[in-house]
Amino acid sequence: MESGLSGVGIEIGVGGGVSQRRRGDKKDLFHVIHKIPSNDSPYGRAKHLQLVEKDPDASIVWFWKAINAGDRVDSALKDMAVVMKQQDRAEEAIEAIKSFRHLCSKQAQESLDNLLIDLYKKCGNIEEQIELLKQKLRLIYMGEAFNGKTTKTARSHGKKFQVSIRQETSRILGNLGWAYMQQNNYNAAEIVYRKAQAIEPDANKACNLGLCLIKQGRYDDARYILDDVCNQSFLGNDDGRSAQRAQTLIQEIESRKLLSELNLNMNTNININEEIMNRLDLVMKEWAPFRSKRLPIFEEISSFRDQMAC
């Protein structure tokens, strides 16, 4: 019979035993909490191994089985790549995405590109990272990003939010600027960062632009931008991290300026000392008494010869 406790649908059998329905509800709740499929499919087993049993190597095996079985291939490939990255198997993850992304839907391609960019960054494949970022920019300019829409739903730390084309373009340009920074191509990085700030300014990219200018020795330009960050003229200062980073970069500017001044003073002193020594050499040569360049033995012979002549 059913109990009438506040409308809760729990069936109690003779002797007070909890029915199969209650156990089923508890099992469903378990899967909801851990965000894993409730069925026993290859993908479901892979997620259980990943999130519940905490066995990443075994989960990778079952993610492979899910891909080969055609079981939620989009999610299986992305989740497997993430686990591989966590296991320091980024190169394998790159090859897996390249080899099997053709099995995934069109909607999954953008997130796979984002994964590849992170993996390239982890492996230090800067050229590949730059090329893929440029490709994503081309899709935006051609109107093919976001499946033709002006916004998309993104997820971060379990929360969903809307991202506009402008925000995405600025984000990609920021990543491209940082990639150029890793190549010490500061001129290209500056151009890209300034373009990103013109589209959607924020404090983090402003700090990166400041660092880029510091690397070029343009301390006054960098200080101007970093002061704006400290004054909270950009977005992204809510937690204070950007302002703190800007302060650190300003201190670096002051240290570099001081070092440059010290080096300049040292070089100036060295030049002055060299000039003084050169002048002293000239004076010594001009006023020093004449000395013969012949060896002493010849001087003695010459003196003896003069005596003989007398």
Side-chain angles (χ1 to χ4, degrees):
M1 65 177 179
E2 287 191 352
S3 69
L5 297 176
S6 302
V8 179
I10 300 175
E11 295 182 0
I12 302 178
V14 178
V18 179
S19 70
Q20 183 67 31
R21 180 181 174 184
R22 173 68 178 274
R23 290 194 294 271
D25 290 343
K26 186 175 180 180
K27 181 179 180 181
D28 291 339
L29 181 61
F30 172 84
H31 286 88
V32 170
I33 292 174
H34 291 281
K35 298 180 181 179
I36 59 177
S38 57
N39 56 26
D40 197 31
S41 65
Y43 180 74
R45 296 193 66 177
K47 293 299 290 184
H48 191 275
L49 287 163
Q50 176 195 1
L51 300 176
V52 181
E53 298 187 24
K54 308 295 184 182
D55 190 343
D57 292 330
S59 71
I60 290 173
V61 173
W62 279 95
F63 280 131
W64 275 122
K65 292 182 178 180
I67 294 170
N68 292 327
D71 180 22
R72 300 182 62 172
V73 178
D74 290 3
S75 298
L77 182 56
K78 288 185 286 187
D79 290 344
M80 183 179 70
V82 170
V83 176
M84 284 181 168
K85 179 185 174 184
Q86 294 169 347
Q87 295 300 107
D88 292 326
R89 296 166 61 179
E91 293 286 355
E92 291 182 60
I94 291 172
E95 291 304 316
I97 292 176
K98 287 182 175 180
S99 299
F100 292 95
R101 68 181 306 168
H102 68 280
L103 299 176
C104 298
S105 65
K106 183 179 179 181
Q107 290 74 19
Q109 299 304 317
E110 184 178 350
S111 57
L112 289 173
D113 282 341
N114 292 335
L115 257 177
L116 274 177
I117 290 172
D118 287 340
L119 291 166
Y120 286 146
K121 185 176 181 180
K122 184 175 179 65
C123 294
N125 299 351
I126 307 300
E127 287 292 344
E128 290 86 347
Q129 183 184 357
I130 289 174
E131 184 56 37
L132 189 49
L133 288 167
K134 288 181 177 179
Q135 179 181 324
K136 289 175 73 67
L137 287 173
R138 283 193 292 269
L139 291 176
I140 290 176
Y141 295 148
M142 294 171 63
E144 297 180 7
F146 292 10
N147 295 316
K149 299 178 181 178
T150 58
T151 61
K152 72 171 183 177
T153 301
R155 185 188 297 271
S156 177
H157 303 292
K159 296 181 179 180
K160 293 182 179 180
F161 56 95
Q162 293 295 311
V163 177
S164 68
I165 284 288
R166 289 179 62 87
Q167 291 171 326
E168 181 70 359
T169 303
S170 181
R171 184 188 70 83
I172 294 173
L173 286 169
N175 289 338
L176 182 58
W178 188 252
Y180 281 133
M181 290 278 285
Q182 307 315 300
Q183 292 185 324
N184 298 329
N185 190 350
Y186 302 122
N187 290 330
E190 180 188 352
I191 293 171
V192 172
Y193 275 133
R194 290 192 182 278
K195 182 66 174 178
Q197 289 296 83
I199 295 173
E200 187 80 16
D202 68 58
N204 182 55
K205 287 193 288 291
C207 286
N208 290 340
L209 176 57
L211 176 60
C212 178
L213 294 170
I214 291 172
K215 295 291 187 181
Q216 298 179 69
R218 294 162 57 187
Y219 303 133
D220 292 338
D221 293 341
R223 180 65 185 264
Y224 179 81
I225 292 172
L226 296 171
D227 282 341
D228 282 344
V229 177
C230 294
N231 295 330
Q232 299 187 354
S233 301
F234 297 101
L235 298 176
N237 288 43
D238 295 340
D239 56 4
R241 285 184 298 178
S242 294
Q244 184 177 0
R245 184 184 176 206
Q247 287 287 357
T248 301
L249 290 173
I250 289 173
Q251 292 174 4
E252 181 178 345
I253 290 174
E254 298 303 322
S255 298
R256 286 178 177 240
K257 280 186 173 181
L258 180 60
L259 184 61
S260 297
E261 291 175 1
L262 290 174
N263 289 335
L264 179 61
N265 291 335
M266 288 179 62
N267 291 333
T268 301
N269 291 334
I270 290 173
N271 292 335
I272 291 174
N273 291 334
E274 288 181 351
E275 184 177 352
I276 291 173
M277 294 303 295
N278 290 334
R279 288 181 180 273
L280 286 173
D281 288 343
L282 290 174
V283 170
M284 293 297 293
K285 289 179 180 179
E286 183 176 351
W287 294 99
F290 173 78
R291 293 180 180 178
S292 173
K293 294 183 180 179
R294 291 183 295 181
L295 293 175
I297 185 62
F298 291 108
E299 295 291 345
E300 295 176 5
I301 294 174
S302 178
S303 177
F304 178 73
R305 184 188 61 190
D306 293 339
Q307 294 175 3
M308 291 293 292
C310 294

